[in-house]
Amino acid sequence: MATHWADFQYEVYLHGMTGAVPRLPTDLTRLEALAEHRLGPGPFGYVAGSAGSGSTARANREALDRWRIVPRVLRDVQERDLSVEVLGRPLPAPLALAPVGVLSIMHPEAECAAARAAAARKVPYILSSASSTPLEQVAEAMGDGERWFQLYWAKDGEVTASFLARAKAAGFTALFVTLDTPLLAWRPRDLDQAYLPFLHGVGTANYFSDPAFLAGLAKPVHEDPNAAVMHFVGMFADPAKTWPDLAFLREHWDGPIVLKGILHPDDARRAADTGMDGVAVSNHGGRQVAGSVAAADALPRVVEAVGDRLTVLFDSGVRTGDDVFKALALGARAVLLGRPYAYGLGLDGQAGVDHVIRCLLAEFDLTLALSGHARPDSPTADDLIKEAA
């Protein structure tokens, strides 16, 4: 039975009969300012910050805003079904929670709180390699919830292989390989606070609990935490990786593999040619390359190149239900939501993440219906026009 996401608005109004109002704004674009007011400058800046002047993050929003929906009328939209199939998995809506690392800086319950919220709504949760919580613990918190694992591809092949084996054993069904972060970008908000959680052993839980990683240490982590941190820093990313190295991942992972951080259609074609299952059109939310093409501007070209061969997903800039509509109309199969749920977590824990999921999907459900569509695969580029920049 399809979930009626739009009914959330009536739930809100009915609660209002007793004088209760939502604890967090239902306009998710307001969460960032609220989080900045309530959270410390280091943690907030780490989540909100972008590369350079922030030009790419702004471009992501401007690109989505330039696309305008052209609603159609007198279409039967009484019964709507938002369910989709992504990477061979049935989902209740075209949404997954994007990988966001070091969530303990936002809330003590960290990744487990976000994962429980996702599982309760049957939305996939993508766990970051750089989580504050070991992947097995997050899997346990999710129960049978749909979970995917994001890999930061370490220099040490044995650690990478160990991560993949652990993720498979813990019930993660798809692998997302982030390719746009072979180095940390120049991020002034973090630099101005001299704030990098990893140097304090935050966001290293998967490494510090990994047997292959621990085998490379002279002493246990608790006896020499600084040495453990430096060992992590030395292997976290590898700018020497190239396309042929993907064969290593395929050897160690038998489920779907999605390459995250694809913006050029030739890279998308290469992903298809090397046997990958999907690509996530993403510029890391503007956190990696200042002056980069906006993800929404890159999406149509990637879809044109490989949409008939690969599952194309979209992230970077999604904040509202109409953003979801636009991404799907431009050819994405589903969207990944990042910062808004991290803000929800920081402001109200698991309940905050649940609020964000329900608001986004209620707004998307209503946007879909009010634009004349009953299913997520119905909108196309013909349902949009693009305003001049």
PDB file of all heavy atoms in Angstrom, residues 170-196:
ATOM      1  N   ALA A 170      27.280  -6.714   7.503  1.00  0.00           N
ATOM      2  CA  ALA A 170      26.323  -5.940   8.299  1.00  0.00           C
ATOM      3  C   ALA A 170      25.055  -5.593   7.523  1.00  0.00           C
ATOM      4  O   ALA A 170      24.216  -4.832   8.019  1.00  0.00           O
ATOM      5  CB  ALA A 170      26.982  -4.671   8.813  1.00  0.00           C
ATOM      6  N   GLY A 171      24.907  -6.127   6.318  1.00  0.00           N
ATOM      7  CA  GLY A 171      23.658  -5.962   5.590  1.00  0.00           C
ATOM      8  C   GLY A 171      23.546  -4.722   4.726  1.00  0.00           C
ATOM      9  O   GLY A 171      22.447  -4.357   4.297  1.00  0.00           O
ATOM     10  N   PHE A 172      24.669  -4.049   4.448  1.00  0.00           N
ATOM     11  CA  PHE A 172      24.644  -2.929   3.503  1.00  0.00           C
ATOM     12  C   PHE A 172      24.578  -3.510   2.094  1.00  0.00           C
ATOM     13  O   PHE A 172      25.360  -4.401   1.747  1.00  0.00           O
ATOM     14  CB  PHE A 172      25.876  -2.049   3.683  1.00  0.00           C
ATOM     15  CG  PHE A 172      25.892  -1.283   4.985  1.00  0.00           C
ATOM     16  CD1 PHE A 172      26.326  -1.885   6.162  1.00  0.00           C
ATOM     17  CD2 PHE A 172      25.446   0.028   5.040  1.00  0.00           C
ATOM     18  CE1 PHE A 172      26.323  -1.192   7.370  1.00  0.00           C
ATOM     19  CE2 PHE A 172      25.442   0.736   6.248  1.00  0.00           C
ATOM     20  CZ  PHE A 172      25.878   0.123   7.411  1.00  0.00           C
ATOM     21  N   THR A 173      23.648  -3.021   1.283  1.00  0.00           N
ATOM     22  CA  THR A 173      23.368  -3.695   0.007  1.00  0.00           C
ATOM     23  C   THR A 173      23.981  -3.017  -1.208  1.00  0.00           C
ATOM     24  O   THR A 173      24.111  -3.645  -2.253  1.00  0.00           O
ATOM     25  CB  THR A 173      21.851  -3.812  -0.215  1.00  0.00           C
ATOM     26  OG1 THR A 173      21.273  -2.502  -0.212  1.00  0.00           O
ATOM     27  CG2 THR A 173      21.208  -4.656   0.881  1.00  0.00           C
ATOM     28  N   ALA A 174      24.322  -1.738  -1.109  1.00  0.00           N
ATOM     29  CA  ALA A 174      24.905  -1.012  -2.246  1.00  0.00           C
ATOM     30  C   ALA A 174      26.109  -0.229  -1.764  1.00  0.00           C
ATOM     31  O   ALA A 174      26.186   0.172  -0.600  1.00  0.00           O
ATOM     32  CB  ALA A 174      23.876  -0.072  -2.883  1.00  0.00           C
ATOM     33  N   LEU A 175      27.039  -0.011  -2.689  1.00  0.00           N
ATOM     34  CA  LEU A 175      28.278   0.701  -2.370  1.00  0.00           C
ATOM     35  C   LEU A 175      28.327   2.011  -3.151  1.00  0.00           C
ATOM     36  O   LEU A 175      28.173   2.017  -4.376  1.00  0.00           O
ATOM     37  CB  LEU A 175      29.482  -0.164  -2.742  1.00  0.00           C
ATOM     38  CG  LEU A 175      30.869   0.458  -2.517  1.00  0.00           C
ATOM     39  CD1 LEU A 175      31.125   0.679  -1.032  1.00  0.00           C
ATOM     40  CD2 LEU A 175      31.954  -0.435  -3.124  1.00  0.00           C
ATOM     41  N   PHE A 176      28.530   3.106  -2.436  1.00  0.00           N
ATOM     42  CA  PHE A 176      28.693   4.419  -3.048  1.00  0.00           C
ATOM     43  C   PHE A 176      30.151   4.836  -2.873  1.00  0.00           C
ATOM     44  O   PHE A 176      30.620   4.985  -1.738  1.00  0.00           O
ATOM     45  CB  PHE A 176      27.775   5.449  -2.381  1.00  0.00           C
ATOM     46  CG  PHE A 176      26.343   5.366  -2.835  1.00  0.00           C
ATOM     47  CD1 PHE A 176      25.586   4.236  -2.560  1.00  0.00           C
ATOM     48  CD2 PHE A 176      25.761   6.394  -3.549  1.00  0.00           C
ATOM     49  CE1 PHE A 176      24.270   4.138  -2.981  1.00  0.00           C
ATOM     50  CE2 PHE A 176      24.445   6.307  -3.984  1.00  0.00           C
ATOM     51  CZ  PHE A 176      23.697   5.179  -3.698  1.00  0.00           C
ATOM     52  N   VAL A 177      30.858   5.013  -3.973  1.00  0.00           N
ATOM     53  CA  VAL A 177      32.281   5.343  -3.932  1.00  0.00           C
ATOM     54  C   VAL A 177      32.439   6.830  -4.240  1.00  0.00           C
ATOM     55  O   VAL A 177      32.164   7.270  -5.363  1.00  0.00           O
ATOM     56  CB  VAL A 177      33.080   4.505  -4.946  1.00  0.00           C
ATOM     57  CG1 VAL A 177      34.577   4.738  -4.751  1.00  0.00           C
ATOM     58  CG2 VAL A 177      32.742   3.029  -4.822  1.00  0.00           C
ATOM     59  N   THR A 178      32.844   7.599  -3.262  1.00  0.00           N
ATOM     60  CA  THR A 178      33.011   9.040  -3.455  1.00  0.00           C
ATOM     61  C   THR A 178      34.346   9.300  -4.149  1.00  0.00           C
ATOM     62  O   THR A 178      35.400   8.981  -3.612  1.00  0.00           O
ATOM     63  CB  THR A 178      32.944   9.785  -2.114  1.00  0.00           C
ATOM     64  OG1 THR A 178      31.637   9.605  -1.559  1.00  0.00           O
ATOM     65  CG2 THR A 178      33.212  11.269  -2.298  1.00  0.00           C
ATOM     66  N   LEU A 179      34.257   9.898  -5.345  1.00  0.00           N
ATOM     67  CA  LEU A 179      35.455  10.100  -6.164  1.00  0.00           C
ATOM     68  C   LEU A 179      35.919  11.550  -6.222  1.00  0.00           C
ATOM     69  O   LEU A 179      36.981  11.828  -6.783  1.00  0.00           O
ATOM     70  CB  LEU A 179      35.188   9.607  -7.598  1.00  0.00           C
ATOM     71  CG  LEU A 179      34.877   8.118  -7.729  1.00  0.00           C
ATOM     72  CD1 LEU A 179      34.600   7.775  -9.188  1.00  0.00           C
ATOM     73  CD2 LEU A 179      36.028   7.265  -7.196  1.00  0.00           C
ATOM     74  N   ASP A 180      35.145  12.461  -5.621  1.00  0.00           N
ATOM     75  CA  ASP A 180      35.491  13.884  -5.749  1.00  0.00           C
ATOM     76  C   ASP A 180      36.304  14.402  -4.567  1.00  0.00           C
ATOM     77  O   ASP A 180      36.510  15.596  -4.429  1.00  0.00           O
ATOM     78  CB  ASP A 180      34.227  14.733  -5.936  1.00  0.00           C
ATOM     79  CG  ASP A 180      33.212  14.549  -4.809  1.00  0.00           C
ATOM     80  OD1 ASP A 180      33.591  14.040  -3.733  1.00  0.00           O
ATOM     81  OD2 ASP A 180      32.034  14.905  -5.006  1.00  0.00           O
ATOM     82  N   THR A 181      36.779  13.477  -3.709  1.00  0.00           N
ATOM     83  CA  THR A 181      37.501  13.909  -2.510  1.00  0.00           C
ATOM     84  C   THR A 181      38.829  13.157  -2.364  1.00  0.00           C
ATOM     85  O   THR A 181      39.086  12.534  -1.329  1.00  0.00           O
ATOM     86  CB  THR A 181      36.623  13.719  -1.255  1.00  0.00           C
ATOM     87  OG1 THR A 181      35.320  14.227  -1.528  1.00  0.00           O
ATOM     88  CG2 THR A 181      37.187  14.463  -0.055  1.00  0.00           C
ATOM     89  N   PRO A 182      39.687  13.187  -3.407  1.00  0.00           N
ATOM     90  CA  PRO A 182      41.012  12.578  -3.244  1.00  0.00           C
ATOM     91  C   PRO A 182      41.906  13.416  -2.336  1.00  0.00           C
ATOM     92  O   PRO A 182      42.936  12.951  -1.844  1.00  0.00           O
ATOM     93  CB  PRO A 182      41.555  12.532  -4.671  1.00  0.00           C
ATOM     94  CG  PRO A 182      40.883  13.668  -5.359  1.00  0.00           C
ATOM     95  CD  PRO A 182      39.499  13.730  -4.767  1.00  0.00           C
ATOM     96  N   LEU A 183      41.487  14.664  -2.112  1.00  0.00           N
ATOM     97  CA  LEU A 183      42.141  15.579  -1.177  1.00  0.00           C
ATOM     98  C   LEU A 183      41.042  16.416  -0.541  1.00  0.00           C
ATOM     99  O   LEU A 183      39.988  16.628  -1.145  1.00  0.00           O
ATOM    100  CB  LEU A 183      43.111  16.520  -1.914  1.00  0.00           C
ATOM    101  CG  LEU A 183      44.261  15.896  -2.698  1.00  0.00           C
ATOM    102  CD1 LEU A 183      44.856  16.930  -3.654  1.00  0.00           C
ATOM    103  CD2 LEU A 183      45.325  15.371  -1.751  1.00  0.00           C
ATOM    104  N   LEU A 184      41.278  16.908   0.673  1.00  0.00           N
ATOM    105  CA  LEU A 184      40.336  17.851   1.261  1.00  0.00           C
ATOM    106  C   LEU A 184      40.511  19.212   0.600  1.00  0.00           C
ATOM    107  O   LEU A 184      41.631  19.686   0.431  1.00  0.00           O
ATOM    108  CB  LEU A 184      40.562  17.985   2.768  1.00  0.00           C
ATOM    109  CG  LEU A 184      40.043  16.871   3.664  1.00  0.00           C
ATOM    110  CD1 LEU A 184      40.294  17.228   5.123  1.00  0.00           C
ATOM    111  CD2 LEU A 184      38.556  16.598   3.442  1.00  0.00           C
ATOM    112  N   ALA A 185      39.393  19.824   0.252  1.00  0.00           N
ATOM    113  CA  ALA A 185      39.438  21.120  -0.420  1.00  0.00           C
ATOM    114  C   ALA A 185      39.794  22.239   0.556  1.00  0.00           C
ATOM    115  O   ALA A 185      39.816  22.056   1.775  1.00  0.00           O
ATOM    116  CB  ALA A 185      38.090  21.408  -1.063  1.00  0.00           C
ATOM    117  N   TRP A 186      40.044  23.405  -0.017  1.00  0.00           N
ATOM    118  CA  TRP A 186      40.272  24.632   0.763  1.00  0.00           C
ATOM    119  C   TRP A 186      38.921  25.120   1.260  1.00  0.00           C
ATOM    120  O   TRP A 186      38.088  25.610   0.497  1.00  0.00           O
ATOM    121  CB  TRP A 186      40.938  25.684  -0.122  1.00  0.00           C
ATOM    122  CG  TRP A 186      41.365  26.930   0.600  1.00  0.00           C
ATOM    123  CD1 TRP A 186      40.756  28.151   0.575  1.00  0.00           C
ATOM    124  CD2 TRP A 186      42.522  27.087   1.446  1.00  0.00           C
ATOM    125  NE1 TRP A 186      41.439  29.055   1.347  1.00  0.00           N
ATOM    126  CE2 TRP A 186      42.536  28.433   1.903  1.00  0.00           C
ATOM    127  CE3 TRP A 186      43.538  26.229   1.860  1.00  0.00           C
ATOM    128  CZ2 TRP A 186      43.516  28.932   2.740  1.00  0.00           C
ATOM    129  CZ3 TRP A 186      44.516  26.720   2.696  1.00  0.00           C
ATOM    130  CH2 TRP A 186      44.511  28.063   3.127  1.00  0.00           C
ATOM    131  N   ARG A 187      38.676  24.949   2.588  1.00  0.00           N
ATOM    132  CA  ARG A 187      37.383  25.272   3.174  1.00  0.00           C
ATOM    133  C   ARG A 187      37.571  26.351   4.251  1.00  0.00           C
ATOM    134  O   ARG A 187      37.888  26.054   5.407  1.00  0.00           O
ATOM    135  CB  ARG A 187      36.744  24.024   3.779  1.00  0.00           C
ATOM    136  CG  ARG A 187      36.477  22.922   2.753  1.00  0.00           C
ATOM    137  CD  ARG A 187      35.921  21.675   3.403  1.00  0.00           C
ATOM    138  NE  ARG A 187      35.752  20.581   2.447  1.00  0.00           N
ATOM    139  CZ  ARG A 187      35.477  19.333   2.785  1.00  0.00           C
ATOM    140  NH1 ARG A 187      35.317  19.013   4.071  1.00  0.00           N
ATOM    141  NH2 ARG A 187      35.348  18.404   1.863  1.00  0.00           N
ATOM    142  N   PRO A 188      37.388  27.597   3.880  1.00  0.00           N
ATOM    143  CA  PRO A 188      37.692  28.700   4.810  1.00  0.00           C
ATOM    144  C   PRO A 188      36.938  28.665   6.129  1.00  0.00           C
ATOM    145  O   PRO A 188      37.495  29.063   7.157  1.00  0.00           O
ATOM    146  CB  PRO A 188      37.335  29.952   3.992  1.00  0.00           C
ATOM    147  CG  PRO A 188      37.582  29.533   2.576  1.00  0.00           C
ATOM    148  CD  PRO A 188      37.126  28.114   2.521  1.00  0.00           C
ATOM    149  N   ARG A 189      35.692  28.204   6.146  1.00  0.00           N
ATOM    150  CA  ARG A 189      34.961  28.201   7.418  1.00  0.00           C
ATOM    151  C   ARG A 189      35.646  27.282   8.422  1.00  0.00           C
ATOM    152  O   ARG A 189      35.722  27.598   9.617  1.00  0.00           O
ATOM    153  CB  ARG A 189      33.512  27.762   7.213  1.00  0.00           C
ATOM    154  CG  ARG A 189      32.668  28.802   6.490  1.00  0.00           C
ATOM    155  CD  ARG A 189      31.206  28.448   6.515  1.00  0.00           C
ATOM    156  NE  ARG A 189      30.581  28.860   7.763  1.00  0.00           N
ATOM    157  CZ  ARG A 189      29.302  29.233   7.854  1.00  0.00           C
ATOM    158  NH1 ARG A 189      28.541  29.260   6.779  1.00  0.00           N
ATOM    159  NH2 ARG A 189      28.791  29.599   9.004  1.00  0.00           N
ATOM    160  N   ASP A 190      36.138  26.144   7.954  1.00  0.00           N
ATOM    161  CA  ASP A 190      36.860  25.233   8.846  1.00  0.00           C
ATOM    162  C   ASP A 190      38.240  25.775   9.185  1.00  0.00           C
ATOM    163  O   ASP A 190      38.705  25.682  10.331  1.00  0.00           O
ATOM    164  CB  ASP A 190      36.998  23.860   8.190  1.00  0.00           C
ATOM    165  CG  ASP A 190      35.657  23.188   7.958  1.00  0.00           C
ATOM    166  OD1 ASP A 190      34.679  23.538   8.652  1.00  0.00           O
ATOM    167  OD2 ASP A 190      35.577  22.317   7.069  1.00  0.00           O
ATOM    168  N   LEU A 191      38.886  26.356   8.186  1.00  0.00           N
ATOM    169  CA  LEU A 191      40.230  26.891   8.410  1.00  0.00           C
ATOM    170  C   LEU A 191      40.209  28.055   9.400  1.00  0.00           C
ATOM    171  O   LEU A 191      41.081  28.166  10.271  1.00  0.00           O
ATOM    172  CB  LEU A 191      40.836  27.340   7.076  1.00  0.00           C
ATOM    173  CG  LEU A 191      41.209  26.196   6.118  1.00  0.00           C
ATOM    174  CD1 LEU A 191      41.381  26.727   4.703  1.00  0.00           C
ATOM    175  CD2 LEU A 191      42.478  25.492   6.590  1.00  0.00           C
ATOM    176  N   ASP A 192      39.208  28.910   9.290  1.00  0.00           N
ATOM    177  CA  ASP A 192      39.138  30.071  10.187  1.00  0.00           C
ATOM    178  C   ASP A 192      38.934  29.651  11.650  1.00  0.00           C
ATOM    179  O   ASP A 192      39.326  30.372  12.567  1.00  0.00           O
ATOM    180  CB  ASP A 192      38.007  31.007   9.757  1.00  0.00           C
ATOM    181  CG  ASP A 192      38.311  31.726   8.451  1.00  0.00           C
ATOM    182  OD1 ASP A 192      39.464  31.640   7.980  1.00  0.00           O
ATOM    183  OD2 ASP A 192      37.393  32.362   7.894  1.00  0.00           O
ATOM    184  N   GLN A 193      38.303  28.482  11.853  1.00  0.00           N
ATOM    185  CA  GLN A 193      38.126  27.949  13.205  1.00  0.00           C
ATOM    186  C   GLN A 193      39.226  26.943  13.554  1.00  0.00           C
ATOM    187  O   GLN A 193      39.248  26.431  14.688  1.00  0.00           O
ATOM    188  CB  GLN A 193      36.758  27.251  13.313  1.00  0.00           C
ATOM    189  CG  GLN A 193      35.560  28.161  13.105  1.00  0.00           C
ATOM    190  CD  GLN A 193      35.329  29.099  14.275  1.00  0.00           C
ATOM    191  OE1 GLN A 193      35.669  28.786  15.417  1.00  0.00           O
ATOM    192  NE2 GLN A 193      34.771  30.262  13.994  1.00  0.00           N
ATOM    193  N   ALA A 194      40.122  26.662  12.572  1.00  0.00           N
ATOM    194  CA  ALA A 194      41.125  25.594  12.729  1.00  0.00           C
ATOM    195  C   ALA A 194      40.443  24.315  13.211  1.00  0.00           C
ATOM    196  O   ALA A 194      40.921  23.635  14.127  1.00  0.00           O
ATOM    197  CB  ALA A 194      42.240  26.020  13.676  1.00  0.00           C
ATOM    198  N   TYR A 195      39.336  23.971  12.555  1.00  0.00           N
ATOM    199  CA  TYR A 195      38.459  22.903  13.031  1.00  0.00           C
ATOM    200  C   TYR A 195      38.452  21.739  12.048  1.00  0.00           C
ATOM    201  O   TYR A 195      37.923  21.845  10.942  1.00  0.00           O
ATOM    202  CB  TYR A 195      37.035  23.451  13.203  1.00  0.00           C
ATOM    203  CG  TYR A 195      36.054  22.476  13.809  1.00  0.00           C
ATOM    204  CD1 TYR A 195      35.980  22.304  15.192  1.00  0.00           C
ATOM    205  CD2 TYR A 195      35.196  21.729  13.014  1.00  0.00           C
ATOM    206  CE1 TYR A 195      35.077  21.411  15.761  1.00  0.00           C
ATOM    207  CE2 TYR A 195      34.290  20.836  13.564  1.00  0.00           C
ATOM    208  CZ  TYR A 195      34.233  20.681  14.947  1.00  0.00           C
ATOM    209  OH  TYR A 195      33.335  19.800  15.502  1.00  0.00           O
ATOM    210  N   LEU A 196      39.072  20.643  12.422  1.00  0.00           N
ATOM    211  CA  LEU A 196      39.039  19.417  11.628  1.00  0.00           C
ATOM    212  C   LEU A 196      38.828  18.260  12.596  1.00  0.00           C
ATOM    213  O   LEU A 196      39.762  17.825  13.287  1.00  0.00           O
ATOM    214  CB  LEU A 196      40.341  19.231  10.836  1.00  0.00           C
ATOM    215  CG  LEU A 196      40.337  18.072   9.828  1.00  0.00           C
ATOM    216  CD1 LEU A 196      39.262  18.274   8.765  1.00  0.00           C
ATOM    217  CD2 LEU A 196      41.701  17.911   9.182  1.00  0.00           C
TER     218      LEU A 196
END
